Amino acid sequence: MGDYANTDEEENDSVHLVYMQAGRWFRQADAIIKQIKVDVVTFHLIIPVERFMVVRTRTTTDDETVLALVNALNEFLGKRFVEVVVRQKTDNPFEVALQVTPISRLDQVVKHLAQHGFDSGPAPSHVLCLQEGDIIELEFSGNIECTDNVPDQLIYKSNVPTVTYFTVKEENKFRQKEHEYFSGLICLTRKYLQPTQKSKKPMTTGQGHDDQREWKSERICSLQLNIPKYHLTPNAEPLKAPLQITDTTGPVDKDLLMTLADQMGDEWKKVAHYLGVHKARVQAIIRNVTVGERSERDAKYDMLLTWIKGAAKALDKVSALSAALDNSDRNDLAETVRRRGKGSLDTRRMTLVS
């Protein structure tokens, strides 16, 4: 008897057995479901299936609605919210660790990597949505390349660490001469299976799955990786950061950086860490303040200039800068950056329309 009835005559809900084949849900119309206890039922499966559900609905709910509800429930239960962590060794920034971790374990993973020497690098990615068994492909762009036989694909499993270690180097030592480090992007792409639109009928025994699904892919994030140049040139007196931005077309311009430099406090060093500005460069900026060559405000501005001048062109600078400020507990400044980015986007749209 269902929850909506007081007597057998008033029974007005139904129990359905639905199962998945090749990524699609089907209802077994002739299923005989017996309730043993309040939360225990028995039934017979005709053929092997990927997964199944037993759901209870009102008798007025049609099969199409039942399958839609089950599909939505399955998609929600299958979602895994993760972040990508990329860390480098401070004493050897060519060695890199990359791990895809549930957001609930982010701090634990960062601490674990730091205990093994991987304690520098870019800020974690934004929150991503994956599913069990998704394939994650790694690509390198910009002026870095991988020197190891790193797996081209990682399979995400929430109960098994999705981690890989590899070594990188600059692709061309004659590029990015004006920067203190070589930089590039680690790009992650998600590949997953999606049911085709060929057939909505359940498969018969012995029918394969290959013609029922197709592979889809989507770029999920890009993280900037920096390699200092001290392995190429001897250490010399650190150069000051450039004093102007040549590209003023984007939302992250001189005015915005000056505003942030004015309003940031001691947390600017944390911001530098999350932006991936190398520790040696931060120490050089602090030295310039110590010897009286630059002010505290100039130091913050120099740090931001160092980052913006070394950032890859393909990097979403608004997202990267606002994320670094959020992670440094300056949500007010992060919101200022996001508003500036939105305003710049609206201006470009109006220009295109006109």
Side-chain angles (χ1 to χ4, degrees):
M1 185 183 299
D3 293 337
Y4 310 113
N6 296 319
T7 66
D8 291 340
E9 289 76 15
E10 297 177 2
E11 183 72 28
N12 61 352
D13 61 342
S14 301
V15 179
H16 309 271
L17 172 61
V18 292
Y19 59 92
M20 176 182 282
Q21 279 187 332
R24 292 187 180 280
W25 288 98
F26 302 95
R27 176 178 174 271
Q28 186 171 322
D30 56 349
I32 300 177
I33 304 175
K34 296 181 180 180
Q35 185 169 348
I36 306 301
K37 296 181 181 179
V38 175
D39 55 352
V40 178
V41 296
T42 62
F43 53 87
H44 293 283
L45 287 173
I46 302 175
I47 57 175
V49 297
E50 297 177 26
R51 61 184 61 184
F52 63 84
M53 289 190 192
V54 178
V55 296
R56 185 189 297 274
T57 67
R58 290 183 180 273
T59 55
T60 55
T61 306
D62 57 36
D63 290 354
E64 185 175 347
T65 303
V66 171
L67 295 178
L69 289 172
V70 170
N71 188 62
L73 179 61
N74 179 69
E75 287 186 1
F76 178 78
L77 294 176
K79 288 182 178 180
R80 300 291 184 268
F81 297 99
V82 304
E83 292 186 63
V84 180
V85 179
V86 175
R87 309 302 288 166
Q88 299 166 265
K89 286 190 173 181
T90 301
D91 56 350
N92 185 6
F94 306 99
E95 295 187 23
V96 183
L98 183 149
Q99 184 162 349
V100 182
T101 177
I103 56 177
S104 60
R105 299 188 66 249
L106 177 62
D107 293 339
Q108 182 180 348
V109 167
V110 172
K111 183 178 180 180
H112 174 76
L113 292 175
Q115 291 174 347
H116 289 77
F118 296 94
D119 54 358
S120 64
S125 70
H126 57 277
V127 177
L128 308 171
C129 182
L130 301 179
Q131 290 190 338
E132 296 287 346
D134 279 355
I135 294 176
I136 301 172
E137 294 184 337
L138 304 182
E139 295 179 358
F140 298 86
S141 65
N143 198 23
I144 63 169
E145 61 182 359
C146 182
T147 60
D148 296 334
N149 293 323
V150 62
D152 294 332
Q153 298 179 339
L154 300 174
I155 299 178
Y156 177 74
K157 296 289 185 181
S158 57
N159 59 338
V160 178
T162 307
V163 60
T164 183
Y165 301 89
F166 51 90
T167 305
V168 296
K169 71 178 186 68
E170 71 279 0
E171 188 178 72
N172 186 340
K173 66 179 181 180
F174 299 106
R175 292 173 59 187
Q176 301 174 320
K177 290 183 178 180
E178 69 278 12
H179 303 149
E180 295 184 354
Y181 45 79
F182 301 110
S183 65
L185 295 176
I186 301 179
C187 305
L188 280 72
T189 300
R190 172 197 175 210
K191 289 188 66 177
Y192 57 97
L193 281 172
Q194 180 171 293
T196 63
Q197 303 297 325
K198 293 181 180 180
S199 174
K200 295 186 178 181
K201 297 180 180 180
M203 295 184 303
T204 58
T205 304
Q207 185 177 356
H209 289 189
D210 293 341
D211 60 344
Q212 299 289 320
R213 302 196 210 180
E214 58 183 352
W215 284 102
K216 297 287 186 179
S217 62
E218 61 175 347
R219 177 68 58 84
I220 53 176
C221 72
S222 299
L223 296 174
Q224 181 170 335
L225 199 64
N226 297 328
I227 304 174
K229 295 182 178 179
Y230 58 72
H231 64 295
L232 297 179
T233 57
N235 290 330
E237 183 176 346
L239 298 176
K240 296 179 182 178
L243 299 180
Q244 61 181 358
I245 301 177
T246 55
D247 182 12
T248 59
T249 58
V252 182
D253 55 11
K254 179 180 178 180
D255 291 339
L256 178 60
L257 298 188
M258 291 292 287
T259 300
L260 296 177
D262 284 331
Q263 299 185 27
M264 279 193 298
D266 290 337
E267 72 276 0
W268 72 271
K269 299 170 188 175
K270 291 179 63 177
V271 175
H273 167 73
Y274 286 114
L275 288 176
V277 179
H278 200 267
K279 288 183 179 179
R281 179 57 186 153
V282 174
Q283 292 170 356
I285 293 174
I286 295 174
R287 171 194 170 278
N288 290 336
V289 176
T290 304
V291 299
E293 296 179 359
R294 308 287 284 172
S295 66
E296 283 284 344
R297 176 177 177 271
D298 292 335
K300 302 166 191 175
Y301 183 63
D302 287 352
M303 180 275 292
L304 293 171
L305 275 176
T306 299
W307 165 71
I308 196 69
K309 296 289 284 187
K313 290 184 178 180
L315 181 68
D316 185 346
K317 298 176 180 61
V318 171
S319 296
L321 184 54
S322 58
L325 290 165
D326 278 331
N327 291 329
S328 303
D329 298 324
R330 288 307 304 265
N331 309 93
D332 54 333
L333 296 182
E335 187 59 31
T336 299
V337 174
R338 281 190 281 266
R339 284 199 301 268
R340 178 69 68 91
K342 184 177 183 300
S344 176
L345 180 60
D346 292 340
T347 301
R348 289 199 298 270
R349 287 175 177 171
M350 292 176 62
T351 303
L352 291 174
V353 171
S354 60

